[in-house]
Amino acid sequence: MRKDIGILCDAYATLHPGLYRSMSPAGFRQECRRLDRFVGTPRSLGDFYLALAAFTATIRCGHSFPNPANQTPAVAATLFGRPDRLPFAFTWLDRHMIVTADLGSGHNLTPGSEIVAIGRVAVRVILAKMLPYARTDGGNEARKVADLGIAGGANWPAFDVLRSLLFPSSGQSARIAVRTAGGVATVACLLMTASARDAALRPPSKASPYGWTFHLRGNVGVLTMPTWAVFRDEWDWRGFIDASLDTAVDRKLSGLVIDIRDNGGGLDCGAAIIARLIDTPLATDGYSRHVRYRKIPDRLSPYLKTWDRGFRDWGASAVGPDAAGFYALTRPGDASDTDIIRPAGRRFAGKVAVLVGPKNASATFGFSGVMQRHRLGTLIGEPTGGNRRGINGGAFFFVNLPASGIEVDLPLIAYWPDAPQPDAGVAPDYRVPARAVDVQAGQDRQLARAILIVSA
């Protein structure tokens, strides 16, 4: 494991463009030493995974972590392959665990109920224990908490991964203490496999394997997109967007609501939406691209995997270095990393609202900023994840650590704002906080506000 630590620290120090955005070089070296001391005694694979998660969390980059989705089948099965998923969805509101859907508990856990303990551990203790392993960008703490909910957009929710390692289940069921209007009751819930819980969260649909929906609310179209991690080539996500916008145009809808509140990002699907809202090319601007290297050193090459060999050697596209050792990048990291969005298809000219929240990071953070900055739509909800001081992403290496077999994501492109920005996400135009009482009443104040605004 010490060999793995040496490889990881070398790769991050050499290639990570945002390593020192929220920490100093001395602070990074201290974290490397702390990690090295941790493995001075024998540790399990799970212990090492948690140590790597805590280590990358100190960098405060939402794309730097031992990604559960990128582990080998053997590592994934060992670490978090047990049938121990909780049979309900939930969100954290004021750091209270509030049920949003019963997925097969057998006890009719009504939306709005509060889970106060799992097993013999209070959920406030569980949340506090998990937070040091949760990722975010800069000082945006709300994203860390939001990312520990179970909503339906992620294939490997952070809560599931951390619960398997920090609070492993000893049987096929878990005792859940639930607070309802009648008081606190303890019930035994059968745990689920990951596939069964995912199917309950996102029932199979011919329209979309990712839970995307488009429906009409009077003269308003509501496009719900719980994830943009749409990496299955066989599904035409662009076609889904175009069909939805075509319906909005054909029916002469007054407005469109785009619901991305549970969406942590993925591909830049937002560009395909924006292309249907504009009639002239749009310069997304606001952020410039920078990398820490022109060509990777040979010593790291055996441990770095990616989908584009061009990431190994940027060549003339990396201009520099400047006095701080950064190169300005003149080529995009991937096909969706563009400075210009061009009109496509028939333009929807009605009003647009975007429902946002702290889970929005990466592509959904960028989309929210462009929509607001260019007045293409009204943002409603709560401040986004991400960070206006800049984020990292666009291109990645997957650092494969040979001794343990664990993989760690390494983002390669830093996005810098053209002017100083606050250490925060994008603030909505209308702030409408989520409340437990609304969940209990089956009301969606954020959606209702959005429909009202685009209907006027």
Side-chain angles (χ1 to χ4, degrees):
M1 292 183 182
R2 277 191 159 139
K3 179 182 178 181
D4 282 358
I5 292 168
I7 292 168
L8 181 63
C9 289
D10 186 11
Y12 267 54
T14 304
L15 307 175
H16 197 301
L19 186 61
Y20 304 129
R21 179 179 280 134
S22 297
M23 72 188 323
S24 67
F28 176 70
R29 290 192 295 270
Q30 181 179 351
E31 292 300 328
C32 289
R33 289 193 295 269
R34 180 179 291 118
L35 186 59
D36 188 73
R37 287 195 300 271
F38 178 80
V39 299
T41 56
R43 303 287 181 178
S44 70
L45 188 66
D47 291 337
F48 191 46
Y49 180 90
L50 287 171
L52 293 175
F55 169 72
T56 51
T58 65
I59 298 168
R60 292 191 167 268
C61 164
H63 284 119
S64 301
F65 69 121
N67 192 338
N70 290 337
Q71 305 305 322
T72 66
V75 169
T78 300
L79 293 179
F80 26 77
R82 292 179 288 276
D84 60 357
R85 303 301 193 264
L86 295 173
F88 55 87
F90 67 88
T91 187
W92 295 99
L93 297 178
D94 294 327
R95 305 207 173 189
H96 293 270
M97 182 184 282
I98 305 299
V99 174
T100 55
D102 189 318
L103 303 174
S105 72
H107 297 282
N108 190 26
L109 299 176
T110 57
S113 302
E114 180 185 354
I115 306 298
V116 296
I118 301 173
R120 297 182 180 275
V121 186
V123 295
R124 57 181 174 78
V125 174
I126 293 174
L127 179 61
K129 190 73 177 288
M130 289 183 175
L131 282 175
Y133 304 98
R135 56 198 171 102
T136 191
D137 293 288
N140 197 338
E141 293 297 310
R143 191 265 172 105
K144 297 181 74 170
V145 177
D147 216 34
L148 290 170
I150 301 294
N155 290 326
W156 292 100
F159 180 88
D160 289 339
V161 171
L162 294 174
R163 181 173 170 271
S164 287
L165 297 173
L166 294 171
F167 304 96
S169 299
S170 57
Q172 297 179 330
S173 65
R175 297 189 66 79
I176 309 295
V178 189
R179 177 180 288 120
T180 63
V184 176
T186 300
V187 297
C189 295
L190 286 176
L191 298 172
M192 307 175 74
T193 64
S195 58
R197 221 271 306 280
D198 287 347
L201 278 168
R202 295 184 297 200
S205 168
K206 293 182 179 180
S208 166
Y210 296 98
W212 289 19
T213 61
F214 181 76
H215 67 276
L216 301 182
R217 295 281 294 267
N219 203 35
V220 173
V222 180
L223 176 59
T224 302
M225 311 167 87
T227 180
W228 283 352
V230 288
F231 299 118
R232 297 181 192 174
D233 293 336
E234 67 271 17
W235 186 62
D236 182 13
W237 61 265
R238 290 182 179 85
F240 188 99
I241 290 173
D242 282 334
S244 301
L245 270 294
D246 285 343
T247 298
V249 172
D250 291 339
R251 299 199 175 207
K252 297 181 173 59
L253 299 182
S254 65
L256 174 68
V257 176
I258 304 167
D259 186 354
I260 55 171
R261 286 172 290 183
D262 292 330
N263 192 326
L267 297 180
D268 188 8
C269 303
I273 298 174
I274 292 173
R276 298 295 304 268
L277 305 178
I278 57 178
D279 53 14
T280 59
L282 176 71
T284 57
D285 58 43
Y287 291 86
S288 55
R289 294 186 294 263
H290 302 266
V291 295
R292 282 281 302 280
Y293 68 98
R294 177 175 285 133
K295 181 180 179 182
I296 63 170
D298 291 342
R299 68 181 185 277
L300 291 174
S301 183
Y303 312 112
L304 305 177
K305 294 183 179 180
T306 189
W307 66 90
D308 187 336
R309 291 191 61 83
F311 300 164
R312 293 178 174 271
D313 186 349
W314 295 108
S317 297
V319 179
D322 62 16
F326 285 92
Y327 297 80
L329 189 63
T330 59
R331 64 154 277 191
D334 57 40
S336 65
D337 188 3
T338 58
D339 296 320
I340 303 292
I341 300 175
R342 303 187 183 282
R346 292 177 295 158
R347 177 174 178 253
F348 176 71
K351 295 181 179 180
V352 179
V354 184
L355 296 178
V356 298
K359 282 186 68 68
N360 299 146
S362 188
T364 45
F365 160 75
F367 172 73
S368 301
V370 172
M371 291 292 290
Q372 185 181 69
R373 197 159 54 243
H374 294 277
R375 299 183 179 180
L376 297 174
T378 302
L379 269 54
I380 299 166
E382 299 179 83
T384 71
N387 200 293
R388 290 167 61 187
R389 290 180 58 215
I391 61 174
N392 315 295
F396 291 83
F397 281 136
F398 309 115
V399 186
N400 288 270
L401 305 178
S404 64
I406 292 175
E407 179 277 342
V408 181
D409 284 10
L410 168 55
L412 304 180
I413 304 174
Y415 295 84
W416 293 352
D418 294 338
Q421 297 290 332
D423 183 8
V426 177
D429 300 297
Y430 294 93
R431 185 163 185 167
V432 183
R435 304 182 307 181
V437 65
D438 297 325
V439 178
Q440 189 172 17
Q443 298 176 342
D444 190 335
R445 290 193 311 138
Q446 296 171 337
L447 177 59
R449 183 70 172 274
I451 291 174
L452 179 64
I453 287 173
V454 300
S455 297

